[in-house]
Amino acid sequence: ETGVTQSPTHLIKTRGQQVTLRCSSQSGHNTVSWYQQALGQGPQFIFQYYREEENGRGNFPPRFSGLQFPNYSSELNVNALELDDSALYLCASSSGTDFYNEQFFGPGTRLTVL
Amino acid sequence: AQKITQTQPGMFVQEKEAVTLDCTYDTSDPSYGLFWYKQPSSGEMIFLIYQGSYDQQNATEGRYSLNFQKARKSANLVISASQLGDSAMYFCAMRKIAGANSKLTFGKGITLSVRP
């Protein structure tokens, strides 16, 4: 069974640019959640996708957008990058949206905005 | 709104000793789940233990146990017989049981260092 994978591992961008991060969910999982973890902080919920539809969003501006594909993999897009967007971005997949559906995390993508 | 508070500074423990990592929470939801995750330097979040607000007994998973005190809104993690591989960041998190999505709300984390 393949676990959750994310690409790329590291990324360096400059202010104003756009970035796309990718997440492949674990086999059999239809739900992907994205989190932003700034240095020295806990992860913050960005949004969740369930069967290709957004299913809840945290306190992030619209320049953070996402997509989920028919195979349940997902993308996180960030437009007009700001310095504060520098963080570890984690995705987690699960077999549903209920509380008992354990979320399995990927290794993350570390984004640096210069 | 849900809130998790982890205020301990970096923690140090001698190998083979037990250590307690503190977590307090605040929520208006009648039912919720509490989680502890370990995050090594590689970045991946590793699930350790879960406690439901309705559970009568404290959760245990191998060397991990959760000291759940509902009235005090605390959910402390106890690691027995610490090992060098336990050195990592530890995060307490919670999730509503009812609701549209199962997002996790995390605390700021605690750094644990195990000394040989």
Side-chain angles (χ1 to χ4, degrees), chain A residues 7-71:
Chain A
S7 62
T9 307
H10 295 89
L11 203 52
I12 299 175
K13 292 285 189 179
T14 56
R15 270 188 309 174
Q17 287 189 311
Q18 178 265 342
V19 69
T20 298
L21 310 182
R22 294 178 176 83
C23 172
S24 291
S25 57
Q26 189 165 308
S27 176
H29 287 183
N30 56 20
T31 304
V32 173
S33 303
W34 286 92
Y35 294 84
Q36 180 196 64
Q37 186 179 12
L39 196 62
Q41 302 294 318
Q44 299 288 317
F45 175 73
I46 303 175
F47 43 56
Q48 181 182 83
Y49 277 83
Y50 171 64
R51 293 186 173 179
E52 303 179 61
E53 297 286 333
E54 187 177 291
N55 182 49
R57 186 180 185 92
N59 190 26
F60 280 81
R63 58 190 186 82
F64 285 78
S65 62
L67 202 56
Q68 188 176 32
F69 300 98
N71 66 355

Side-chain angles (χ1 to χ4, degrees), chain A residues 35 37 42 48 55 97 99 103, chain B residues 39 91 95 100-102 104 107:
Chain A
Y35 294 84
Q37 186 179 12
Q48 181 182 83
N55 182 49
T97 61
F99 77 95
Q103 295 191 4
Chain B
Q39 187 179 43
F91 291 92
R95 178 196 289 179
N101 66 64
S102 53
L104 287 160

Side-chain angles (χ1 to χ4, degrees), chain B:
Chain B
Q2 301 175 321
K3 185 178 180 181
I4 297 285
T5 301
Q6 296 179 264
T7 58
Q8 288 170 304
M11 295 285 289
F12 294 86
V13 65
Q14 206 67 31
E15 195 178 6
K16 301 181 185 177
E17 292 186 347
V19 63
T20 298
L21 306 182
D22 295 342
C23 171
T24 58
Y25 62 90
D26 192 21
T27 181
S28 56
D29 297 303
S31 299
Y32 47 89
L34 294 157
F35 301 77
W36 276 92
Y37 286 86
K38 172 184 177 182
Q39 187 179 43
S41 56
S42 59
E44 186 173 349
M45 284 284 187
I46 302 168
F47 166 75
L48 296 178
I49 195 167
Y50 165 81
Q51 176 85 45
S53 61
Y54 44 81
D55 291 336
Q56 295 297 315
Q57 292 190 325
N58 287 341
T60 60
E61 288 284 350
R63 295 186 298 111
Y64 304 108
S65 61
L66 202 152
N67 183 1
F68 179 48
Q69 298 187 44
K70 193 171 183 177
R72 298 179 63 182
K73 293 190 174 181
S74 73
N76 298 339
L77 176 70
V78 180
I79 305 175
S80 62
S82 297
Q83 302 172 355
L84 295 178
D86 293 336
S87 295
M89 283 287 290
Y90 288 81
F91 291 92
C92 180
M94 71 184 305
R95 178 196 289 179
K96 285 194 294 187
I97 288 179
N101 66 64
S102 53
K103 72 166 187 175
L104 287 160
T105 299
F106 287 86
K108 290 187 174 182
I110 302 167
T111 302
L112 175 65
S113 299
V114 181
R115 292 169 168 158

